[in-house]
Amino acid sequence: MRLLVTGGAGYIGSVVTALLLDAGHDVTVLDDLSTGHQEAVPPAAAFVRGRVHEAIGDVLTPDFDGVLHFAAFIAAGESVQKPEKYWDNNAVGTLKLLDAMRAAGVRRLVFSSTANIYGDPDEVPIPETATVRPPNPYATSKLAADHALTGEAIGHGLSAVSLRYFNVVGALHREDGSMIGERHDPETHLIPIALQVAAGRREKLQLFGDDYDTPDGTNIRDYIHVADLGTAHLLALGTMDGPGHRIYNLGNGTGFSNRQVVDVVREVTGHPIPVEMAPRRPGDPAQLVASSDKAKRELGWRPQHVELATMVHDAWAFLRP
Ligand SMILES: NC(=O)c1ccc[n+]([C@@H]2O[C@H](COP(=O)([O-])OP(=O)(O)OC[C@H]3O[C@@H](n4cnc5c(N)ncnc54)[C@H](O)[C@@H]3O)[C@@H](O)[C@H]2O)c1
């Protein structure tokens, strides 16, 4: 297929671009490099530097078979301070993309949704049918985009899949020995921050809140290896024939508390990782653990790297000095 990847210079988009190329697809990346890195884009992909809002109409020609839409701002904490920045980039950007897809007659879209939209869930593990309670503007902007896809499928025959990622971690090993991994700046995710401590780039790790209703009081999250996440995108593309919007949760169904994660990082790196407790952050749910039964059943998704130690090991192999 001829595919457009928005946000393909970012962490997950660059990994998926590599997997798409390996599978024989023809890939063009559109990225404004606002948070991404051009050197992360595999050389076999065509690269266009531009912002979705302004560039998409020129880039998306009718000969494309589909789009994978990763471009977004992702820092939930910052979104609480600057909701308008997140609504413009994540919600309005998706509307611009849908306009351009309609104009070009491109009908397949895989969208990066997020587990964050569930907020504090009624049931754990969380199925796709769970009530959504987006706890911050990042989550509301992503949920708005999800709803826009539903409308486009009903009104204009879009074939869309939203993949709701839980916490993504790890790096992709390439055949040539190189790796593609996570390089956010500033980094807001627990495991890469802990690894930065291990690498001597930070003195200590802050954990936000130890008074949650969880066994050790810290947040519980479900981690998924970026390579397994990437595979789900290829499987989703293979199932998009007719109009409709399907949603799949992607995680491993196992929750790790922040303290347990730090213990795994200590084991993998051999570094003590000093921890400082800090107050809760607004909009941080206590527990997010996925049920991915639907993805396994309907997409045939079979994650291969389910051990947290393996995910941390790969992230460390990418990041270590
Ligand atoms: N990282 C996670 O754990 C996680 C979890 C759930 C969902 N997601 C979703 O996955 C997607 C990718 O996340 P990531 O961790 O790779 O983030 P990232 O910041 O590494 O990548 C985003 C990329 O999009 C680009 N971009 C942003 N806005 C753009 C715009 N308007 N036009 C063109 N390019 C633009 C950035 O330059 C960057 O390269 C996001 O949509 C995010 O909401 C990520």
Side-chain angles (χ1 to χ4, degrees), residues 48-225:
V48 178
R49 182 172 184 172
R51 188 166 179 257
V52 167
H53 302 56
E54 291 87 30
I56 191 70
D58 291 333
V59 174
L60 192 68
T61 46
D63 52 332
F64 279 94
D65 298 299
V67 179
L68 297 98
H69 183 40
F70 299 90
F73 291 144
I74 66 161
E78 185 193 51
S79 79
V80 175
Q81 313 302 326
K82 299 177 184 168
E84 66 288 354
K85 175 175 170 182
Y86 282 71
W87 270 81
D88 177 47
N89 208 39
N90 300 354
V92 176
T94 302
L95 294 179
K96 299 279 185 200
L97 170 66
L98 292 177
D99 283 347
M101 289 183 70
R102 204 182 311 124
V106 178
R107 298 286 69 194
R108 289 190 193 88
L109 175 61
V110 180
F111 175 62
S112 304
S113 185
T114 170
N116 210 261
I117 63 166
Y118 291 114
D120 268 316
D122 294 328
E123 43 183 325
V124 176
I126 307 170
E128 292 79 0
T129 49
T131 303
V132 288
R133 295 193 182 87
N136 53 58
Y138 164 66
T140 55
S141 70
K142 297 295 283 190
L143 182 59
D146 257 349
H147 287 324
L149 266 53
T150 306
E152 194 71 15
I154 294 169
H156 299 292
L158 180 72
S159 184
V161 169
S162 289
L163 299 177
R164 287 195 178 145
Y165 315 159
F166 283 61
N167 285 52
V168 189
V169 66
L172 184 72
H173 293 267
R174 312 246 30 230
E175 272 181 11
D176 64 3
S178 65
M179 295 186 87
I180 307 179
E182 187 166 10
R183 256 192 314 145
H184 296 125
D185 184 17
E187 187 54 75
T188 58
H189 294 145
L190 175 63
I191 290 175
I193 291 176
L195 292 173
Q196 288 177 357
V197 176
R201 295 192 212 153
R202 291 177 190 246
E203 272 180 31
K204 59 188 179 218
L205 170 72
Q206 278 193 319
L207 292 184
F208 298 98
D210 58 0
D211 56 350
Y212 285 95
D213 185 16
T214 60
D216 68 17
T218 62
N219 296 129
I220 290 179
R221 295 288 182 269
D222 184 351
Y223 292 87
I224 173 171
H225 195 292

